[in-house]
Amino acid sequence: MTDFNQLAPKPASSYRFCPKLDHYKPTIDAWLIEDKNAPRKQRHTAKRVFKRLQKEFKDFDCSYRTVASYYTVKCNELLKDRFEGYLPLEHRPGEGHEKGNVENKVGYHRRNLLVPMPRFISLPDYNRQLLAMCEEDANREHYRHDQTIEELFAEDLKHCNVLPEISFDLSGSRTVTTNSWEKFYLHKGMHEYSVSPKHSNMVVNLRLTSSHVTILDENYREIVTHRRLYGDSKQQSM
């Protein structure tokens, strides 16, 4: 018996949105789903999706407008249940100290060089990769001036002051107390480092850089240097 209280099923639609992208939609969807776990400023934009497709698929021939249309619809679909809150920000006149051009450049590199979220083992090696990508990007024509980024930078250098002969020390410093096993811990006890036996149960000085932890004695003479550990798992450097 027919139940007229039930809504009639909607007929299946034969319409496919952006059909030319069908081959690439699973890839785009995977990128956007992964973005949900990435920092807000390191997520794919439509332009970044378009550039990645061009780079990773040699036969890709869709227009940017097609990609942007699908990107908008898919993002709305993925984020429809998401709610965001905002805190009001107040600035007194003349005290904003906003460095617009610098902040825009940081944002450009974050969106284009750090999406998707980079994964690497060696920070110095990855920094060299970033430098190579920046040098490649420097051949791009500036959006406002009829010159490349590299040409504009070369002109800027003519007006810069000479750099100091003494390099600026970017390392951090602190003291720690070693235990009876000639060891000490950083990162909330997750990272274990060793010193020489004669420095057990002593206060030692540390010099911290992005890649190394150097242990110094009371006269700031080097005892040993370790590769700096990263991550939230327990690790040792002996």
Side-chain angles (χ1 to χ4, degrees):
M1 182 181 294
T2 303
D3 184 357
F4 292 99
N5 294 302
Q6 299 294 328
L7 295 176
K10 293 182 179 179
S13 175
S14 60
Y15 174 74
R16 291 183 297 141
F17 185 64
C18 299
K20 197 173 181 181
L21 274 178
D22 283 352
H23 177 67
Y24 309 101
K25 286 177 182 178
T27 301
I28 299 173
D29 295 353
W31 291 345
L32 298 182
I33 291 172
E34 187 177 356
D35 275 356
K36 297 173 74 173
N37 297 319
R40 182 175 60 84
K41 293 185 178 182
Q42 281 177 248
R43 296 173 185 166
H44 286 79
T45 61
K47 186 176 182 180
R48 178 58 178 156
V49 169
F50 179 69
K51 286 189 173 182
R52 283 194 71 185
L53 291 171
Q54 286 183 313
K55 184 176 182 180
E56 299 183 21
F57 295 92
K58 300 303 182 183
D59 58 345
F60 179 75
D61 61 349
C62 299
S63 68
Y64 170 73
R65 184 172 183 176
T66 300
V67 174
S69 297
Y70 180 75
Y71 171 89
T72 300
V73 172
K74 191 63 183 180
C75 281
N76 290 337
E77 177 185 321
L78 292 174
L79 302 178
K80 64 182 179 181
D81 296 325
R82 181 177 175 183
F83 298 93
E84 295 186 353
Y86 300 89
L87 293 175
L89 298 178
E90 296 183 1
H91 296 284
R92 296 182 179 179
E95 295 185 4
H97 308 297
E98 296 173 352
K99 301 169 287 294
N101 289 334
V102 174
E103 292 171 352
N104 288 339
K105 190 64 173 179
V106 170
Y108 171 84
H109 283 310
R110 184 188 291 116
R111 292 187 299 272
N112 290 275
L113 304 185
L114 300 178
V115 175
M117 287 284 290
R119 293 178 175 86
F120 51 86
I121 297 175
S122 170
L123 183 60
D125 288 345
Y126 185 69
N127 281 336
R128 282 189 282 272
Q129 293 180 36
L130 283 177
L131 181 59
M133 288 188 283
C134 288
E135 290 177 344
E136 180 182 355
D137 185 65
N139 294 319
R140 172 175 54 87
E141 185 173 295
H142 191 274
Y143 71 97
R144 183 179 297 171
H145 305 288
D146 190 22
Q147 290 178 284
T148 65
I149 304 295
E150 184 176 11
E151 291 169 339
L152 292 170
F153 179 63
E155 181 63 28
D156 282 347
L157 284 179
K158 298 177 183 178
H159 306 282
C160 291
N161 294 327
V162 178
L163 292 174
E165 294 182 359
I166 301 175
S167 60
F168 184 70
D169 186 5
L170 297 174
S171 62
S173 61
R174 59 177 292 187
T175 59
V176 295
T177 302
T178 61
N179 60 23
S180 300
W181 294 274
E182 308 96 36
K183 298 175 182 177
F184 64 91
Y185 300 87
L186 297 178
H187 195 63
K188 301 178 181 180
M190 302 298 289
H191 300 162
E192 179 183 307
Y193 298 89
S194 64
V195 295
S196 61
K198 71 176 183 178
H199 292 95
S200 62
N201 296 308
M202 291 181 59
V203 175
V204 294
N205 300 291
L206 302 183
R207 180 188 299 129
L208 305 169
T209 69
S210 62
S211 54
H212 294 96
V213 175
T214 302
I215 298 97
L216 311 168
D217 64 15
E218 66 276 9
N219 295 315
Y220 292 91
R221 293 174 299 196
E222 182 177 332
I223 301 171
V224 64
T225 295
H226 292 282
R227 179 178 62 85
R228 188 164 184 175
L229 302 174
Y230 284 95
D232 294 329
S233 60
K234 288 190 175 182
Q235 303 175 64
Q236 293 179 324
S237 182
M238 309 301 291

